Amino acid sequence: MKIAILSRNPKLYSTQRLVQAAEQRGHSVRVLDVLRCYMNITSHHPTIHYRGQTLDDFDAVIPRIGASVTFYGTAVLRQFEMMGVFPLNESVAVTRSRDKLRSLQLLARKGVGLPVTGFAHNPDDIQDLLSEVGGAPLVIKLLEGTQGIGVVLAETHKAAESVIQAFMGLNANIMVQEFISEAGGSDIRCFVIGDKVVAAMRRQAKEGEFRSNLHRGGQASPIRLTPEERSTAVRAARIMGLNVCGVDLLRSNHGPVVMEVNSSPGLRGIEQTSGKDIAGMIIEFIEKRIKALENTTDRSRTRGKG
């Protein structure tokens, strides 16, 4: 099997682990800088070109698309899909999960537990917005932020009002969420592959910090999930349409609540904490899906001959 990995940096831990796992299972792998891919969009013969070469013989593509290049990255991924290449995560699912507001609306529509979340555009609505989410302390998030960047804890009503006004003055899109104090500065990263949680870890924020992201200095440790947490993570992944993702949960007084669904979750933290070969599991999942698709195609051809 020939696999393409869309990654801007082949030296990243996650990219290297996927290459290693695929090669160990006898597959051919090529890492492609998604911004160097260019496309010929035509009805009968769509193609992708890379550094002067035509890419037309891949069986599967693994998108490791950074948030800053989502638009172009998903366009390239769509082109692979048009060419009949199996995507680990489909372009529409990646786009859906990258829109924080849209993803929360989709999860809410299906009854998945979420923090109380507010969204407004006009500064005149700030006071009502703050009361809608239960007042301070509360969390203010930039919709375009990643890895904890653009996330602010406002501990007082006045601070929240000032931060929101500042963001709005910069024409930044933000949402406001209740602060789950009982979580104690920790969250749970559930790693979902297919229809099951294959690993999980607890991320604890460092002293004086409320953001538990490992990039912000958070510490990871193994954790045993409850059945409700497992089912919540799998449901969130299914609603987003993602085959592989990281689902971030908080333990609240009213059960697990979903903070975010990440379509390109890092492998270093979860592999080192769980001791599991997550990269190998991802490649195994691709193998099974492609085999199932081939069997379906063979049965269709057999019926056609009959």
Side-chain angles (χ1 to χ4, degrees):
M1 190 165 63
K2 191 170 181 181
I3 301 173
I5 300 177
L6 300 180
S7 173
R8 297 218 61 212
N9 186 354
K11 295 181 180 179
L12 289 176
Y13 177 92
S14 299
T15 303
Q16 290 185 335
R17 283 290 297 119
L18 289 166
V19 170
Q20 181 185 41
E23 290 179 344
Q24 285 177 345
R25 299 177 72 91
H27 305 300
S28 172
V29 189
R30 186 171 181 185
V31 179
L32 305 172
D33 180 348
V34 71
L35 295 187
R36 292 299 306 273
C37 296
Y38 50 103
M39 298 160 280
N40 181 355
I41 302 168
T42 177
S43 300
H44 302 293
H45 188 58
T47 57
I48 296 177
H49 303 271
Y50 187 76
R51 301 180 186 270
Q53 296 179 327
T54 301
L55 305 177
D56 57 4
D57 56 349
F58 287 102
D59 301 294
V61 56
I62 300 175
R64 299 290 306 177
I65 300 168
S68 62
V69 296
T70 297
F71 179 80
Y72 194 83
T74 51
V76 174
L77 184 57
R78 275 196 305 274
Q79 190 79 352
F80 274 107
E81 293 167 1
M82 289 170 60
M83 294 162 56
V85 179
F86 171 75
L88 179 63
N89 283 325
E90 292 185 352
S91 57
V92 66
V94 174
T95 304
R96 188 184 295 132
S97 66
R98 286 287 165 81
D99 186 332
K100 292 183 180 180
L101 186 62
R102 182 187 179 192
S103 62
L104 289 179
Q105 288 173 321
L106 291 170
L107 294 170
R109 187 168 68 183
K110 296 294 184 179
V112 173
L114 301 170
V116 178
T117 303
F119 182 68
H121 177 75
N122 196 304
D124 293 340
D125 300 319
I126 291 176
Q127 296 299 332
D128 197 32
L129 180 67
L130 296 181
S131 64
E132 283 290 320
V133 299
L138 51 81
V139 178
I140 302 164
K141 293 183 178 180
L142 275 173
L143 293 188
E144 293 80 16
T146 61
Q147 298 178 351
I149 298 171
V151 180
V152 179
L153 173 62
E155 299 191 34
T156 67
H157 185 95
K158 191 66 179 175
E161 195 175 353
S162 298
V163 171
I164 294 172
Q165 287 175 343
F167 276 138
M168 286 184 169
L170 296 171
N171 293 318
N173 291 314
I174 60 167
M175 62 184 182
V176 179
Q177 290 185 321
E178 66 170 321
F179 177 58
I180 310 294
S181 58
E182 59 267 29
S186 70
D187 72 359
I188 300 170
R189 163 60 62 90
C190 303
F191 205 101
V192 179
I193 299 179
D195 59 355
K196 64 182 294 188
V197 177
V198 298
M201 62 180 176
R202 179 176 181 265
R203 302 183 298 188
Q204 179 65 52
K206 65 181 181 181
E207 188 71 26
E209 175 66 80
F210 79 100
R211 296 169 296 181
S212 57
N213 307 70
L214 300 186
H215 291 86
R216 308 259 74 79
Q219 298 295 315
S221 59
I223 190 171
R224 182 180 291 275
L225 299 178
T226 67
E228 186 181 7
E229 288 165 348
R230 286 185 179 276
S231 64
T232 297
V234 171
R235 284 184 65 208
R238 189 178 298 129
I239 291 166
M240 290 295 104
L242 294 166
N243 290 319
V244 172
C245 64
V247 180
D248 296 337
L249 305 175
L250 293 181
R251 285 179 169 171
S252 75
N253 290 333
H254 48 279
V257 294
V258 175
M259 297 299 292
E260 186 176 0
V261 182
N262 190 327
S263 61
S264 294
L267 301 184
R268 185 194 295 271
I270 196 71
E271 285 198 333
Q272 293 180 348
T273 303
S274 67
K276 295 182 178 181
D277 180 11
I278 306 298
M281 294 180 187
I282 292 172
I283 301 302
E284 184 180 4
F285 173 82
I286 293 173
E287 292 170 347
K288 290 179 178 177
R289 286 299 297 271
I290 288 183
K291 186 176 181 180
L293 289 170
E294 288 174 347
N295 290 339
T296 301
T297 302
D298 289 342
R299 283 197 295 270
S300 297
R301 288 173 179 168
T302 301
R303 284 196 297 267
K305 289 179 181 178

